[in-house]
Amino acid sequence: MSTHPAYDELCALALRIHRFEHLQALAHWDHATFMPPGGQEARAAALGEVAALLHRLRTGPELGPLLDAAAGEPLDPVQRANLRELRRAWNLSTALPEGLVQATSLATSRCEHAWRAQRPANDWAGFAVNLREVVRLVREAAQRLGDHLGKEPYEALLDRYEPGLSTARLDELFGRLRGWLPGLIQAAVARQEGEALVSPQGPFPVDAQQALSEALMRRLGFDFGRGRLDRSAHPFTGGVPEDVRLTTRFDERTLLPGLMGTIHETGHARYEQGRPVAWLGLPVSEARSMALHESQSLAFEMQLGRSRPFAEVLGPMLSAAFGPQPAFEPAALYRALTQVRPGKIRVDADEVTYPAHILLRTTLERELIAGALSVDDLPARWDAGMAELLGLSTVGDFKDGPLQDIHWSVGAFGYFPCYTLGAMYAAQWFTAAREARPRLEEEIAAGELEGLFQWLAEQIWQQGSRWETDELAIRVSGRALSDQPLRDHLERRYLGER
Ligand code: CO
């Protein structure tokens, strides 16, 4: 006889939910990769049905009393953390009526699907029709969530991705970033003005790029027995820890963007594959937050992948795949991978200008959710922000402006800040990793990556959601999140010795 029957019942239900989420994740992956266009309406309806079913499971009337009863049962610390996460998920779910959840699933499916054709067609007017409906539904959800959690609406949306992050804390971190970033961008661009740049000479057939990406993923410890790499319009990592689905996109005219996209997604994937096996299927095994997730992709892509020592590993792999050329010499490759050039596209941005894209999106989506900005006025505000932050004109170029990202079409408001919070965490983790492994740079240059991965696995991947985010950060790095390690990293890499 268990001493914690209510807790056991909650876990059994969580596992059931997890298994439906497993199928939901694979249906989403298929939707973004191989599904023929004719499957759209039926898939949207099927996913809407699954979303409604999951919502019923997450909000069943038995849950409240079970959560209360489990709180009084004798639980160990991991079970206690699991219960905390079960309650958090329940709080988020019960705030929203099933009708709203289903309507949102349908509207976002439609908006995302249409976006895939509207973006290349530069069709802002067409997109705006669908986005208005998505924004309307997300604002309603934000209001209800906020009322339920005692937060303002945007903060309540943030909580879905970044538990515990207040808008006050976000304002503090991003306020400091906004203070130092523009000067750093200018200084880095000026610094590189006379730098000789050798670009890789293509074409680079996409099948060869795919093979190289897979070889690189193996080098980075990805387990192909539990996952695969495919292509989609917008790279992502999905699936479940036992079967992680990555996607990337290749362009045969360029080599490095697709490759770095793969390294980025591999960071996400290793976090997923490295989650604590003993707790799989329970909330305590989940990745801690989206910023934590992004901290792993950026640890791989930026901290490791674009570092000077890693160019010693990457260069020979490129030469082996496409034949040697001057651009594959490690010193030249490093300069190409750390080139700072303000551009319109977030996902192609270098790590210095990237946070500027996030500052803009965060400002605009907060105003959309607050009702201070309408969808119709979005392009004009976008253009003004790009001119101010990066000195670029995006007027009339919707496809490389507010149409470029998938996030708003799928209703993921509150997600964008996580990218830059992730960059801050990644820099903070690497500062700690260097203290723990003083020979880290030499190890990387020699291709000995296992020590770094082992450290990340122990410190972060295997911790799942055992700790709340601030506590995890303090355990790993001695302090809660700060913008300072990112600033130090960027100044060292872009304003120091090159
Ligand atoms: Co990412």
Side-chain angles (χ1 to χ4, degrees):
M1 181 69 194
S2 167
T3 57
H4 39 68
Y7 176 80
D8 290 344
E9 206 174 327
L10 285 167
C11 289
L13 184 64
L15 278 170
R16 208 171 152 224
I17 290 171
H18 168 71
R19 287 170 186 142
F20 282 117
E21 285 172 342
H22 175 163
L23 296 176
Q24 184 186 39
L26 288 177
H28 274 296
W29 166 84
D30 175 74
H31 182 260
T33 49
F34 297 118
M35 189 191 77
Q40 168 56 25
E41 285 298 321
R43 181 64 55 87
L47 283 169
E49 200 65 45
V50 174
L53 169 66
L54 276 165
H55 186 67
R56 276 197 295 280
L57 290 173
R58 289 177 187 132
T59 55
E62 73 281 18
L63 281 169
L66 280 173
L67 285 163
D68 290 340
E73 293 177 342
L75 302 178
D76 70 27
V78 172
Q79 292 169 328
R80 211 31 86 196
N82 193 41
L83 185 61
R84 180 194 72 218
E85 294 305 310
L86 283 162
R87 185 172 281 280
R88 192 177 88 77
W90 181 74
N91 267 330
L92 285 172
S93 299
T94 48
L96 302 181
E98 186 179 323
L100 180 60
V101 172
Q102 193 153 13
T104 305
S105 176
L106 276 167
T108 54
S109 264
R110 186 175 300 129
C111 191
E112 181 208 339
H113 185 74
W115 165 78
R116 284 193 249 156
Q118 287 160 342
R119 186 190 173 201
N122 202 38
D123 180 10
W124 169 259
F127 180 73
V129 173
N130 292 326
L131 184 63
R132 260 183 235 118
E133 177 64 3
V134 171
V135 169
R136 188 183 72 74
L137 293 165
V138 173
R139 287 189 69 203
E140 187 185 335
Q143 191 64 53
R144 287 175 181 271
L145 279 171
D147 290 346
H148 196 78
L149 302 172
K151 294 171 179 281
E152 60 152 290
Y154 186 74
E155 193 170 89
L157 294 179
L158 278 179
D159 209 64
R160 297 206 275 203
Y161 307 110
E162 207 46 38
L165 177 69
S166 67
T167 45
R169 188 81 197 292
L170 180 65
D171 284 339
E172 182 197 322
L173 289 161
F174 277 17
R176 291 158 60 100
L177 174 67
R178 198 177 268 275
W180 56 257
L181 186 67
L184 180 57
I185 292 173
Q186 279 187 353
V189 169
R191 181 71 197 273
Q192 294 185 5
E193 240 150 42
E195 204 170 76
L197 191 71
V198 191
S199 297
Q201 298 301 306
F204 304 99
V206 293
D207 287 343
Q209 289 197 52
Q210 168 104 18
L212 174 62
S213 278
E214 288 175 3
L216 194 52
M217 286 165 70
R218 282 192 189 87
R219 203 83 168 76
L220 296 172
F222 182 81
D223 178 0
F224 276 94
R226 296 185 297 142
R228 53 179 288 133
L229 173 69
D230 294 282
R231 300 169 203 172
S232 70
H234 193 101
F236 69 95
T237 298
V240 290
E242 301 90 335
D243 178 7
V244 176
R245 302 299 174 99
L246 282 76
T247 70
T248 189
R249 58 181 165 200
F250 300 117
D251 175 344
E252 73 167 19
R253 291 164 301 179
T254 61
L255 175 63
L256 299 179
L259 203 58
M260 298 319 283
T262 299
I263 296 179
H264 179 99
E265 297 304 326
T266 303
H268 284 304
R270 286 222 61 189
Y271 190 8
E272 286 297 306
Q273 289 187 331
R275 275 162 46 185
V277 173
W279 316 329
L280 279 186
L282 297 176
V284 70
S285 84
E286 298 281 330
R288 178 58 206 157
S289 71
M290 288 305 126
L292 259 291
H293 231 302
E294 201 61 19
S295 81
Q296 298 311 293
S297 58
L298 294 176
F300 272 57
E301 183 195 348
M302 300 302 181
Q303 298 290 329
L304 172 67
R306 294 178 195 269
S307 70
R308 181 64 185 80
F310 192 70
E312 301 289 338
V313 177
L314 197 52
M317 291 184 77
L318 301 186
S319 295
F322 297 104
Q325 53 171 283
F328 298 160
E329 290 301 320
L333 185 59
Y334 173 64
R335 280 196 295 275
L337 287 173
T338 53
Q339 197 196 6
V340 180
R341 182 177 287 173
K344 295 178 183 175
I345 307 291
R346 175 184 61 87
V347 295
D348 294 338
D350 58 80
E351 66 177 327
V352 182
T353 57
Y354 195 105
H357 292 267
I358 296 306
L359 288 173
L360 173 63
R361 285 157 177 74
T362 302
T363 301
L364 297 184
E365 70 176 17
R366 279 178 79 165
E367 290 181 7
L368 281 170
I369 295 305
L373 174 65
S374 71
V375 167
D376 292 333
D377 293 335
L378 186 56
R381 286 293 314 280
W382 185 284
D383 296 337
M386 287 299 282
E388 184 203 328
L389 283 161
L390 290 171
L392 297 170
S393 170
T394 47
V395 179
D397 187 2
F398 306 111
K399 70 175 166 26
D400 299 329
L403 275 183
Q404 70 182 271
D405 295 308
I406 197 170
H407 302 62
W408 290 339
S409 75
V410 298
F413 291 82
Y415 192 110
F416 278 124
C418 299
Y419 291 109
T420 289
L421 297 171
M424 291 177 181
Y425 276 122
Q428 198 159 318
W429 304 152
F430 255 70
T431 305
R434 265 185 227 103
E435 276 163 27
R437 305 187 69 82
R439 288 192 61 258
L440 184 64
E441 314 273 313
E442 290 97 316
E443 288 173 5
I444 293 171
E448 296 161 15
L449 306 175
E450 209 33 59
L452 171 65
F453 296 149
Q454 194 60 41
W455 186 86
L456 287 170
E458 283 165 11
Q459 298 289 322
I460 296 167
W461 305 341
Q462 290 164 14
Q463 301 304 319
S465 283
R466 169 84 202 270
W467 318 104
E468 294 190 77
T469 314
D470 278 352
E471 182 169 3
L472 178 67
I474 291 165
R475 285 176 164 270
V476 177
S477 63
R479 64 167 160 178
L481 182 62
S482 160
D483 59 306
Q484 194 61 44
L486 178 64
R487 184 181 184 176
D488 292 343
H489 157 73
L490 294 176
E491 288 181 352
R492 198 165 46 238
R493 181 174 283 179
Y494 293 92
L495 305 183
E497 183 83 31
R498 283 175 64 80

